[in-house]
Amino acid sequence: MAEKKLQKTKPPQMYQVVMLNDDYTPMEFVVVVIQEFFNKDRETATQIMLKIHLDGKGICGVYSRDVAATKVQQVQEAARQAGHPLQCLSEPVE
Ligand code: TYC
């Protein structure tokens, strides 16, 4: 009889998009970026921005690897176009 393997499918690894504080990017720009690319309302975006400002970094959202990489690119491009040094990265959760 053919060997039967139990097929276990693990949920995919998720990635958190982390934004870093700096001394130059305006708070308002960060709030707008978080609203626009991470689909947060203004109040939530402001809370996340203030957390980054105070703690040095903060999580803007958790996504599959490709989506997280796209978010990072979108933030980097928006910051570059506006001439701000805002930095953002994605890393595996846990
Ligand atoms: N620290 C910046 C300021 O005082 C604001 C800021 C917040 C910058 C969050 C980047 O990811 C950031 N203007």
Side-chain angles (χ1 to χ4, degrees):
M1 184 171 163
E3 185 186 321
K4 261 190 184 171
K5 270 190 189 167
L6 269 182
Q7 194 172 322
K8 290 184 201 162
T9 50
K10 285 180 277 178
Q13 172 76 61
M14 299 298 276
Y15 286 73
Q16 54 197 19
V17 178
V18 178
M19 201 172 283
L20 305 179
N21 188 36
D22 65 72
D23 292 338
Y24 305 102
T25 305
M27 290 183 173
E28 175 62 21
F29 181 82
V30 178
V31 171
V32 169
V33 160
I34 294 172
Q35 285 185 93
E36 186 166 328
F37 297 122
F38 300 96
N39 307 313
K40 308 296 185 197
D41 60 35
R42 187 161 178 91
E43 200 174 309
T44 305
T46 303
Q47 285 170 4
I48 294 171
M49 181 281 293
L50 283 175
K51 189 212 180 293
I52 301 164
H53 178 70
L54 295 172
D55 294 356
K57 62 180 179 177
I59 297 165
C60 294
V62 177
Y63 307 94
S64 64
R65 189 180 63 175
D66 288 4
V67 174
T70 300
K71 302 279 181 196
V72 169
Q73 285 183 354
Q74 287 173 327
V75 171
Q76 286 173 341
E77 178 59 15
R80 193 196 62 76
Q81 275 188 32
H84 299 312
L86 183 62
Q87 293 291 314
C88 151
L89 55 91
S90 72
E91 62 184 25
V93 176
E94 254 110 307

